[in-house]
Each structure stands twice: as structure tokens, then as C-alpha cells.
């Protein structure tokens, strides 16, 4: 007598490793101390400790409120005007290159999802050459696309800078068609970026080895400025026939919860680019059908209005200036922290052990990842001195 196999259901789901950042957020929320400092969550905060809505964004939202006449579907490509308006900002001198196509996505994560799925469809044997540490969502997204990861050490914790020798060696060992995953600027979580000369060497290796560059470009404007921060992007577009660029407006427009991103794909010909675009539409159809409109429409409205675009750039410069100020103030506190002034963006790895990080939570109500990764711009102006004093006291034991 045949027996049917045992039914499997939701109770049989495999266990998951909990997300450490979500656990950290829960700890912060549960702490009743009024003076707690959260440098775990990766959002920009101003001098008052707030994540504000930018002036130009607020004005654009009011304009949309007054003038938008429908919320009907826009189609799988989303707001085409949004992707068009971003081209000169992200692509620079390559904005008019018809071999580059752009597609609106739900945040930078959506762009990464599409890029990795596109790679898997074109070359399922491709490996993703990835430096560590990296943004915690990179590995699971690569695994979700069923691509193999080839790791190397991006950051030298003793020298407090990019381990460029390890990076060059790993890329030089890549197979044609493998993906080189690169941070465009403001490396998350280390803050250790490539110099312009190192970018030139990376581009040479990528082109010579026939690698496919995938540039995660989430923090444009937070390192040296909008134009300077796309140095590596433009250099790669100068040199390579195929380039993937995953872009996010969540940070430089401070529209985090609206999830605003774009994927740009350069192919060797206009026909190949358009063919890749049809694949992107199919992949996105299976994932989210059509991207949400409001955030992208807001960004487009800002960029299409010269006055709003000018005010956005001015406020972005103010944000960048605050990032530099906070970094320099922390760096000047103690010689062991001097490297922080040489790094870029929101994040740095503080020279702390796991036990010291936990001591900071317990004794000073300062919360960061166990790795010592800290969002330095999560500190309000009035908190900087206390933060620095606590870090130095903890390092001193």
C-alpha cells in the first residue's frame, strides 16, 4: 500500500539568522535613558539630531499636491522623467549615451535586486567578487540571485584604509564575466574609499580581465560633492562596454521611507541596451510590477525646477559640510581616531572590541554595531563631546 509523503507547511520553515541591525534598533527603543545615542541606524541627522525633510523636497511635494491630477498606473518603468533627470547627475558626461538605459526602482535595494537578477539571467555561472566588510544586505541579495560570492579583504583594520593589494589581487584573479562589486563612494561600513589613482588601477584590471562592474552608488554628494563623487562611475563608463550602476536618492534627497532608486545599465550597443531593458521590465514585473510613484515624482519635480534644484544642491552641500565637521571633531579628540578625518561619508569602523561596544551600551547608552561600525552623523551637535569622551574612556579601559 502506497503512503503519501508527509505534508510540509509553514511550521517547517528553516530557522533564520536574525538581522543584527534590527536587533540593535529594538535595543535602542527599549532603553528608557533620555540621553541615549544611536549611531547604528544609517540615516543622516542634522545638528539637532533630526532627519529632516529637505526644503526642496517639501516644496516639490506641495507642488505635486497642487498639480498632480491622477494616480493611475505609470507602467513598469515607473517615472521615466525621474530616470532622465538623474542621468546628468549620476552619469555626468555620459548622460547622452544611448547605450545606457535607466529604470526606476524601489530604493537602492530594488536596483541591486534587478542588477543581480539580470546578471544571473545572462550568466548564472558568474561570481560576484566582493570586498569585506560590506553593506550587510549585499551577501543575502547575491545569494538570493543564486550567484556565487568570491570574498576578499577590502579594509585593513590596522592601517585604517583600503587593503588595495588584496583588492587588486582578487580582481586580477577574476574570470571573464565575473562581477566586480564596487562602492561608488562613502564605503559602507568602513568609510574607506578608493583614491583616484586606485580607481584608475581598478578600472584597468576590470577592463583587462573582462569583468562586469556593478557600482553601488548610494551616497553621491556625501563624500566630496556630486561631481567629484562620480569619478569612478565616469571612469568605468569611459572604459567598459558593460556597466551596472545601482543608485539611491534615499540619502542625498533624504527620502528614506519613500524608497527612491534607479538602475542604470550600459551595454555595448543601443540594441543590446534596449534588449537588457526588456529583461529588466520582466524581472521587475515579477517582483513589484510597478515601482511606487510619489518619491520618484518628488525627485523629478525638484530636478526639473531650476530654483528647487539649486536649493537642493545648497542643502546637500550643507549636509556634506556637517559630515566633514563631525568627522574632523571626532578625529581631533584622540590620535587613535585621527584616521576618521581621512575617510568619507556617514560610517567608520571604530577601534573597539565587541566587549567595548557592549560596555558603551551599558555604561553610556551609546548604541552601535558589534563590529564598531558607527554612523558618525547620527550624533547631534550637543552629543559630540560626550560621545567622544565615552569612546576614549572605553578605549583606555
Amino acid at each position: 500500500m502506497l503512503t503519501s509523503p508527509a505534508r510540509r507547511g509553514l511550521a517547517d520553515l528553516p530557522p533564520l539568522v536574525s538581522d543584527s541591525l534590527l536587533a540593535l534598533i529594538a535595543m535602542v527603543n527599549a532603553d528608557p535613558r533620555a540621553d541615549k545615542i544611536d549611531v547604528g541606524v544609517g540615516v543622516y541627522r542634522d545638528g539637532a539630531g533630526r532627519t529632516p525633510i529637505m526644503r526642496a523636497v517639501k516644496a516639490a511635494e506641495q507642488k505635486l499636491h497642487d498639480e498632480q491630477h491622477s494616480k493611475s498606473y505609470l507602467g513598469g518603468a515607473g517615472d521615466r522623467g525621474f530616470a532622465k533627470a538623474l542621468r546628468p547627475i549620476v552619469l555626468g558626461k555620459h548622460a547622452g549615451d544611448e547605450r545606457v538605459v535607466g529604470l526606476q526602482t524601489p530604493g537602492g535595494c530594488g536596483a541591486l535586486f534587478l542588477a543581480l537578477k539580470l546578471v544571473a539571467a545572462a550568466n548564472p555561472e558568474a561570481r560576484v567578487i566582493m570586498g569585506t566588510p560590506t553593506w550587510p544586505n549585499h551577501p543575502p541579495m547575491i545569494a538570493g540571485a543564486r550567484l556565487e560570492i568570491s570574498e576578499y579583504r577590502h579594509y585593513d583594520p590596522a592601517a585604517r584604509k583600503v587593503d588595495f593589494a588584496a583588492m587588486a589581487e582578487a580582481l586580477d584573479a577574476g574570470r571573464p564575466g565575473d562581477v566586480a562589486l564596487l562602492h561608488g563612494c562613502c564605503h559602507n561600513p568602513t568609510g574607506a574609499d578608493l583614491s583616484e589613482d586606485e580607481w584608475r588601477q581598478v578600472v584597468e584590471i576590470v577592463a583587462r580581465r573582462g569583468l562586469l562592474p556593478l557600482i553601488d552608488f548610494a551616497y553621491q554628494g556625501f563624500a566630496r560633492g556630486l561631481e567629484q563623487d562620480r569619478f569612478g562611475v565616469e571612469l568605468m563608463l569611459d572604459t567598459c562596454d558593460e556597466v551596472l550602476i545601482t543608485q539611491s536618492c534615499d540619502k542625498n534627497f533624504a527620502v528614506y521611507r519613500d524608497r527612491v532608486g534607479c538602475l542604470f545599465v550600459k551595454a555595448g550597443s543601443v540594441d543590446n541596451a534596449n534588449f537588457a531593458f526588456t529583461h529588466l521590465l520582466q524581472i521587475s514585473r515579477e517582483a513589484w510590477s510597478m515601482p511606487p510613484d510619489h518619491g520618484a515624482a518628488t525627485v523629478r519635480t525638484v530636478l526639473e525646477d531650476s530654483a528647487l534644484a539649486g536649493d537642493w544642491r545648497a542643502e546637500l552641500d550643507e549636509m556634506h559640510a556637517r559630515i566633514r565637521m563631525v568627522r574632523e571633531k571626532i578625529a581631533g579628540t584622540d590620535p587613535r581616531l585621527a584616521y576618521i578625518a581621512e575617510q568619507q561619508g556617514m560610517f567608520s569602523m571604530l577601534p573597539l572590541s565587541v566587549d567595548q561596544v557592549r560596555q558603551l551600551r551599558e555604561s553610556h547608552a551609546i548604541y552601535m554595531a558589534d563590529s564598531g561600525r558607527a554612523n558618525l552623523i547620527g550624533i547631534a551637535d550637543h552629543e559630540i563631546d560626550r560621545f567622544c569622551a565615552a569612546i576614549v574612556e572605553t578605549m583606555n579601559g
Side-chain angles (χ1 to χ4, degrees), residues 149-367:
I149 296 175
S150 177
E151 292 187 2
Y152 66 90
R153 188 176 79 157
H154 168 83
Y155 185 65
D156 182 341
R160 308 291 178 198
K161 63 181 183 180
V162 176
D163 186 343
F164 190 72
M167 182 179 194
E169 181 180 4
L171 293 175
D172 217 7
R175 305 175 307 204
D178 282 348
V179 175
L181 176 59
L182 305 166
H183 294 232
C185 66
C186 304
H187 187 274
N188 181 0
T190 69
D193 282 357
L194 297 173
S195 68
E196 290 188 357
D197 184 60
E198 287 169 340
W199 266 113
R200 293 186 184 96
Q201 294 180 63
V202 165
V203 170
E204 187 278 327
I205 296 171
V206 166
R208 174 167 49 79
R209 297 297 301 167
L211 308 179
L212 174 60
L214 168 52
I215 304 176
D216 189 345
F217 203 27
Y219 298 95
Q220 186 182 7
F222 277 14
R224 297 183 295 158
L226 284 173
E227 287 74 21
Q228 299 94 319
D229 288 355
R230 67 170 181 250
F231 178 85
V233 168
E234 286 194 279
L235 197 61
M236 203 68 78
L237 290 169
D238 285 342
T239 309
C240 299
D241 285 338
E242 296 184 351
V243 183
L244 305 177
I245 305 160
T246 61
Q247 184 271 349
S248 173
C249 294
D250 293 349
K251 286 79 178 176
N252 56 17
F253 281 85
V255 287
Y256 298 92
R257 68 178 62 171
D258 289 329
R259 312 304 299 132
V260 185
C262 196
L263 171 63
F264 290 101
V265 176
K266 179 188 177 184
S269 68
V270 174
D271 286 345
N272 285 348
N274 290 332
F275 186 52
F277 191 78
T278 63
H279 275 267
L280 294 175
L281 289 175
Q282 180 59 42
I283 298 166
S284 65
R285 174 65 171 166
E286 295 167 3
W288 51 74
S289 186
M290 302 178 198
D293 173 60
H294 177 77
T298 299
V299 170
R300 171 182 52 76
T301 301
V302 169
L303 295 178
E304 289 178 347
D305 184 303
S306 59
L308 291 181
D311 192 38
W312 165 67
R313 282 178 173 261
E315 191 164 4
L316 182 60
D317 286 343
E318 294 168 12
M319 295 164 74
H320 171 244
R322 180 164 195 274
I323 291 171
R324 294 311 319 161
M325 180 276 292
V326 173
R327 281 191 170 277
E328 288 165 10
K329 190 163 185 178
I330 295 172
T333 302
D334 187 282
R336 291 169 292 182
L337 301 175
Y339 68 93
I340 288 174
E342 304 302 318
Q343 297 179 344
Q344 305 290 349
M346 295 164 56
F347 304 103
S348 280
M349 305 286 285
L350 298 181
L352 300 166
S353 67
V354 173
D355 287 341
Q356 288 173 319
V357 168
R358 291 172 181 167
Q359 182 183 337
L360 282 167
R361 293 176 199 160
E362 295 168 5
S363 302
H364 300 280
I366 294 174
Y367 288 83

Side-chain angles (χ1 to χ4, degrees), residues 42-56:
V43 297
Y44 173 88
R45 294 192 176 108
D46 62 16
R50 301 168 301 188
T51 300
I53 300 174
M54 297 179 79
R55 297 183 299 265

